[in-house]
Amino acid sequence: MPGNYNNKTKKNAFVSDLPHNSQAEQAVLGSALLSKDALISVLSSLEESDFYEGKHQLIYRAMKNASERKVAVDVLTITEELINMKELENVGGVNYLKECSDSMVALSSLDFYIHIVNDQSCLRRLLLTIRDIDNKYHTEEIENIDQFIQESEAHIKDATEKRRVSQFKTTAEVAHAVEMEINTSKIIGEDEVTGLTTGYRDVNKYTQGFQRGDMIIIAARPSVGKTAIALNMGYRAATRAHVPVAIFSLEMASELLVKRLVAAESGVSLKSISSGNVMGSDRIKVAEAIKKVSSAPIFIDDSPGLKLMDIVAKSRKLQARLQSEQKELGLIIVDYLGLVTTGNSGSKSGDSRQEEVRKISLQMKDLARELKVPIVVISQLSRSVESRDNKRPMLSDLRDSGSIEQDADVVMLLYREDYYKKQTNSAGEKKGKDLTDSDKAALSREQKEKQLAQEMPGDASYVEVNIAKNRNGQTGIAGLFFFKAFGRFDDPPRDWEEQKREIAGGIED
């Protein structure tokens, strides 16, 4: 292997040539020694490791210790603290503390010096990280290049994360930014939503569209239609709002996803398209649908065994590629959460699946905020739904981790009555004459609603989309029709909704 970076002399040389600004560090510490306001700014903006020189780290530690004990910080008290720490001589004695205090700067200039110290600290972390990556490359066997690159990217991101010192903003500053955004932005999609259209009238009404930086969870039991609705939403965003959409499909091959899109667009059954048994006018519909699907800006990654870092790295790469073409990524869909792993399942940490899901959920939310893109994540519901008389899902039914509910900005729970048709029929047969008048009324209403659904083509089912959590808006239930034969979700026709209301009103009367 070329080079030996374990050499002690080279290591010392690496450390000694790291970037730093001793004068800025001195000015920051001297200001904190003489001003309470300066002390608060320094302790809240910097950490001990942000100082390069060992003596400056010791002075900072002494100031922090004294401050935590609510002791006033000045040259005298810090001298006493350093004596107790047995470090006074190592910082250069009282004379050096006075030298620092002589370097004090005006409070109005302090932030500038804090930024210098912070930037130099960040640059040191970055260089050390790069050297560690280089050292690993030269001294360790790299089994998986892709994983090595992704881990290196993550380490570099961690090293630079603390670069910007967080500051308060006045409402005037924020309000001005909001005003500028409103004045310069265009409404995306339809129905005057403020975000990216979901493609559905009632869902838009509750959510105002998918907002940038939001994580949206779509959850249901298997085969209820969660992949289909996410795919429909992505397709409508791409074709109606004309934004690029990324789909990470961990469960389904890209060819099948495209067949689903063609079926949904053409209104020809997926079964016919998959078997190639498309006849007559349906062939024309399918050909036109293929042309339209082909022109949609949708990017599909169906790589098997996709890990969390793969999703993060590929999303960043796609965003950068689109930006180079003067475009912006509009939506990311991950299907589905249960198949995403951190790639550390075999590690010594031995994290439980709940802990792994917590990390995945947090990272997905961070990615949405970083790229300023809504991310739709499909999730399973636990089997606890099946054990209840009322099968309508609740937030507590989200599988694997409560952090999903906590981190998500929007949670949509799907309920389809005919999914439980067999169980309902069996229960009805057993009850027989034991049904109460209210039970009979409910069954009568249900039968009439089903009859309405049966009048529609494509094996239609009525689906309740329960927006059970909406961090920035209303919660409620939006109704959609799921045409199972060709995998399309549509808004219920207005006249159907009228008939449904009349049925409900007639039964109540």
Side-chain angles (χ1 to χ4, degrees):
M1 287 288 178
N4 181 2
Y5 290 88
N6 289 324
N7 183 282
K8 196 170 184 180
T9 305
K10 286 191 175 183
K11 268 191 170 182
N12 290 337
F14 279 164
V15 172
S16 63
D17 70 355
L18 289 172
H20 61 283
N21 189 317
S22 294
Q23 289 76 23
E25 291 184 10
Q26 226 181 26
V28 164
L29 293 171
S31 301
L33 282 169
L34 297 177
S35 165
K36 183 178 179 181
D37 290 338
L39 174 70
I40 292 169
S41 291
V42 170
L43 293 182
S44 63
S45 303
L46 297 170
E47 297 175 1
E48 184 178 326
S49 60
D50 290 325
F51 294 88
Y52 174 78
E53 295 200 27
K55 57 187 176 183
H56 292 162
Q57 292 181 358
L58 291 171
I59 294 170
Y60 177 92
R61 190 190 309 167
M63 289 194 298
K64 188 172 183 181
N65 290 346
S67 180
E68 286 175 351
R69 296 201 313 274
K70 307 210 182 304
V71 173
V73 170
D74 54 37
V75 173
L76 183 62
T77 58
I78 296 309
T79 300
E80 186 68 24
E81 185 67 30
L82 287 166
I83 290 171
N84 293 336
M85 291 167 57
K86 299 185 171 45
E87 299 285 7
L88 183 60
E89 288 185 11
N90 291 329
V91 304
V94 178
N95 288 336
Y96 190 73
L97 290 178
K98 289 180 179 177
E99 189 179 325
C100 286
S101 62
D102 289 340
S103 302
M104 174 191 183
V105 295
L107 195 61
S108 58
S109 304
L110 181 61
D111 279 348
F112 175 75
Y113 287 88
I114 287 174
H115 277 292
I116 292 175
V117 174
N118 192 43
D119 284 347
Q120 295 293 307
S121 172
C122 177
L123 192 53
R124 288 197 301 275
R125 287 194 303 273
L126 178 61
L127 290 173
L128 286 171
T129 300
I130 292 170
R131 289 168 180 175
D132 283 344
I133 292 168
D134 185 57
N135 179 39
K136 185 175 181 181
Y137 173 75
H138 282 87
T139 60
E140 297 181 19
E141 184 178 351
I142 309 299
E143 295 179 359
N144 186 318
I145 293 293
D146 282 341
Q147 186 174 348
F148 176 73
I149 291 170
Q150 288 167 19
E151 288 176 352
S152 300
E153 286 178 340
H155 291 320
I156 289 171
K157 183 175 181 290
D158 290 342
T160 56
E161 226 169 26
K162 189 180 170 284
R163 181 172 180 268
R164 290 177 294 276
V165 180
S166 176
Q167 300 287 355
F168 284 111
K169 297 177 183 176
T170 66
T171 53
E173 291 172 319
V174 178
H176 177 68
V178 170
E179 182 182 27
M180 291 294 292
E181 183 179 342
I182 292 170
N183 290 339
T184 58
S185 65
K186 293 179 181 178
I187 292 173
I188 303 173
E190 56 193 19
D191 295 337
E192 298 186 344
V193 295
T194 58
L196 177 69
T197 180
T198 67
Y200 298 101
R201 183 177 62 240
D202 285 350
V203 180
N204 277 345
K205 182 182 74 175
Y206 287 109
T207 63
Q208 286 297 298
F210 294 144
Q211 308 299 318
R212 290 182 179 184
D214 277 4
M215 180 171 76
I216 300 99
I217 298 291
I218 297 178
R221 291 295 292 148
S223 302
V224 169
K226 53 190 181 295
T227 296
I229 194 172
L231 193 60
N232 274 251
M233 286 174 169
Y235 183 65
R236 290 183 178 216
T239 56
R240 298 185 183 191
H242 309 292
V243 295
V245 174
I247 301 175
F248 292 98
S249 179
L250 285 82
E251 191 174 34
M252 203 174 292
S254 57
E255 291 81 5
L256 183 51
L257 286 181
V258 171
K259 285 177 182 177
R260 283 186 167 215
L261 288 175
V262 170
E265 175 62 36
S266 65
V268 175
S269 76
L270 180 60
K271 184 178 179 181
S272 298
I273 291 171
S274 297
S275 65
N277 185 26
V278 182
M279 309 298 290
S281 61
D282 283 351
R283 293 189 74 86
I284 299 172
K285 291 179 183 176
V286 169
E288 290 176 349
I290 289 173
K291 188 183 293 186
K292 188 169 182 181
V293 169
S294 299
S295 65
I298 296 175
F299 302 83
I300 302 172
D301 190 316
D302 63 352
S303 304
L306 211 59
K307 297 180 178 64
L308 174 63
M309 282 312 301
D310 295 323
I311 294 171
V312 172
K314 290 181 179 186
S315 297
R316 288 173 180 160
K317 187 175 179 180
L318 179 58
Q319 176 76 297
R321 170 187 157 186
L322 290 168
Q323 287 176 340
S324 71
E325 301 169 3
Q326 308 301 311
K327 300 173 184 174
E328 289 286 341
L329 185 59
L331 179 67
I332 297 171
I333 297 172
V334 179
D335 183 16
Y336 73 101
L337 183 66
L339 294 178
V340 179
T341 65
T342 59
N344 297 322
S345 55
S347 68
K348 293 179 181 178
S349 62
D351 288 345
S352 65
R353 179 56 186 169
Q354 285 79 7
E355 177 62 17
E356 188 174 37
V357 169
R358 185 188 71 81
K359 291 178 180 178
I360 293 167
S361 175
L362 279 171
Q363 185 68 64
M364 290 284 188
K365 175 61 182 171
D366 287 346
L367 181 64
R369 294 186 65 184
E370 176 193 336
L371 300 183
K372 296 181 174 60
V373 172
I375 296 183
V376 171
V377 182
I378 297 171
S379 178
Q380 291 270 29
L381 292 174
S382 67
R383 287 192 179 91
S384 59
V385 179
E386 313 291 344
S387 61
R388 298 197 302 263
D389 290 336
N390 185 351
K391 309 296 185 186
R392 285 178 171 81
M394 303 180 292
L395 284 171
S396 57
D397 295 321
L398 285 168
R399 192 169 175 177
D400 290 323
S401 175
S403 64
I404 302 172
E405 176 190 344
Q406 179 181 319
D407 298 332
D409 298 282
V410 177
V411 178
M412 298 182 186
L413 307 175
L414 306 188
Y415 173 75
R416 182 156 59 87
E417 183 67 38
D418 66 348
Y419 176 79
Y420 297 102
K421 185 176 180 181
K422 290 181 181 178
Q423 296 95 312
T424 304
N425 286 347
S426 299
E429 288 168 11
K430 287 180 182 178
K431 285 182 181 178
K433 297 177 182 178
D434 296 333
L435 291 174
T436 64
D437 289 341
S438 61
D439 289 334
K440 290 175 182 176
L443 282 172
S444 175
R445 182 176 66 238
E446 185 182 315
Q447 286 163 1
K448 288 181 180 180
E449 289 176 357
K450 284 179 183 175
Q451 187 176 348
L452 283 178
Q454 287 167 2
E455 293 171 2
M456 295 187 168
D459 190 17
S461 288
Y462 183 70
V463 177
E464 293 179 3
V465 182
N466 178 10
I467 294 109
K469 179 183 178 182
N470 188 5
R471 198 185 300 276
N472 299 307
Q474 291 179 291
T475 59
I477 294 175
L480 294 176
F481 267 114
F482 179 30
F483 299 90
K484 299 188 287 295
F486 37 87
R488 188 171 75 212
F489 275 83
D490 273 329
D491 288 311
R494 297 287 190 186
D495 59 342
W496 185 92
E497 290 181 324
E498 278 295 325
Q499 290 180 62
K500 188 172 185 296
R501 278 193 290 270
E502 286 174 11
I503 291 168
I507 297 295
E508 286 169 8
D509 292 342

